[in-house]
Amino acid sequence: MLIVFYLSCFLAFVAGHMLNYTAILFSLSSFDSPSLAGLAYGLCFGTPIIFGWIAGAYIDRYSAKKVLLIAQNLFIVGALGMWWAVENKGDYEISVFLFSSFLIGIAWAFVAPARMASIAQYASTEKLPQLTIIFNLLVMLGFGLAPILLTQIQEYFAWQGVLEMCVFMFLLSSVLLFNAPNVHKRISHDRLIKEWTSCFEKLKTIPIVPQLLLAAIVVYLMMGPMQVVLPQVAEGLLKLNSIDTGRYLGLIALSLILGGVIAIKFKEKVPVGPTILWLLIFSGVAIGFIGNINSIVMSCLALIAGTTMAGIIVSFIVAALQYHTPTEIKGRVMSIYTIISQVISAIAGLLAGVIAEGISPSMSLYIIGALIILFTLLIGIKATHLRNFRGFKS
C-alpha cells in the first residue's frame, strides 16, 4: 500500500507542477504578458495563505484521505478550465484561465498538507521520519521533472496535450488512493477560530514544532530568489545563452534531490537540530557567494552546494515535524508548513526581484543571504529545543 501511495503522490506532484508552469508559460506565449504570468502564478501559489487555514482544520476534522480525494478534483477542474481557454480564443479566455489558476491554488492549499498528513497512516512514529524524507524526495523529483515533461509534450501535442495529460495523471492518482487506509478519530466539530486556537495552545506544550516552522521560514527565503534572480545572474553575470541558462537552473532541482538522498542516508548519524542550523548558515553564505562571482564553474559549485544543503534542511524539517506533531493536530501543522513553503517563497522572490530591478541582481542575493544568516543566528540563540534536538529514535 505504501508504494501505491508514493506512486499516487508522484503522479500528483508532477501534474500539479506542470499546471503551475502552464500558468506561467502559456500566459507568456499566448498573452505576451509578464504581469499576467505573475498573476497566474500568484493565484496558483498564493491562495494557501487564505485557504490553508481551512484545509488544516478540515484534515483533522474529516480525515486526510477524504479531504485529499475531494480537493484533488479541483486540480482536474482547473486543468479542464485551462484546456477550455486554450481551445476557445475570445473575450473570456483570460478570465477563465485566471479562474482556473485560482482553482489550482485552492487545490494546492488542501492537497499538499493532506498528503503529508496521510503518511502517518502507513507507519509507526519511529518510521515516520524515513517515510517523510522519501515523500519529500518525490516532491522535489516531481518539481524537477515537471518542466522537462511539459516541454516535451507541448512540442508534440501542444498545450491541449499537456492539460489532457495532467487530467489523466490526477485521475489515476485518485484511483490509486481508493483503497488507502483511513484510520481517523474525528475531533470535536467547532468554529474554525476555536479549532486553531486549541492547536496553538497545544503547540505551546511542544516548543520544538514552532521552532522547526521558524527554520522552515528561513530556508524558504532561499527558494523564491533562486527562481526569480538566478536567471538574471546567469544571463547578466555569467553571460550564458538561453540553453545554458536552462541547464544552469536545472542544477537547482538536481541538487535538491541530492540533498534528499543525503538526508535519508545520514538522518540517524548526525545531530539533526544543529545540522539544520549550521546548514542554514552555510546556504546563506553560498547564496551570497553566487552574486559575487563570474566564473561559471565556481557559480555552479556554489549553486549545487547551496541547494543541496537546502534539500537536506527541508528533508530534516518535514521529517522532524512528522515525528514531533501529535496526530490530532497534524493536519493543521502540515497546513502551516504548506503556507510557509509557498507564501514565503513567493514573498522572498518578489522582494529579491524588486531589489534586483532597483539595484542589481547581485545585491539582492547579498541581502537574501545576509537575512538567512541573521535569522538563523537569532533562531539558534532562542530555539533551545531545536538546538538540542539530536535525532530520531529508531
Side-chain angles (χ1 to χ4, degrees), residues 71-88:
Q72 196 153 275
N73 292 317
L74 289 175
F75 274 127
I76 296 173
V77 176
L80 291 175
M82 286 185 170
W83 183 88
W84 186 93
V86 170
E87 284 283 339
N88 298 273

Side-chain angles (χ1 to χ4, degrees), residues 276-348:
I276 289 174
L277 296 172
W278 279 111
L279 290 184
L280 278 172
I281 292 175
F282 292 144
S283 62
V285 172
I287 289 298
F289 188 63
I290 290 172
N292 191 44
I293 52 178
N294 53 18
S295 165
I296 296 176
V297 174
M298 293 301 296
S299 185
C300 287
L301 290 175
L303 180 58
I304 291 171
T307 48
T308 297
M309 287 186 284
I312 297 171
I313 295 165
V314 170
S315 296
F316 279 168
I317 287 175
V318 294
L321 284 173
Q322 286 277 16
Y323 185 77
H324 288 286
T325 303
T327 301
E328 64 269 19
I329 62 169
K330 196 175 290 288
R332 280 164 284 181
V333 170
M334 296 308 164
S335 183
I336 295 173
Y337 175 80
T338 299
I339 293 170
I340 289 171
S341 67
Q342 298 185 8
V343 175
I344 295 298
S345 295
I347 293 174

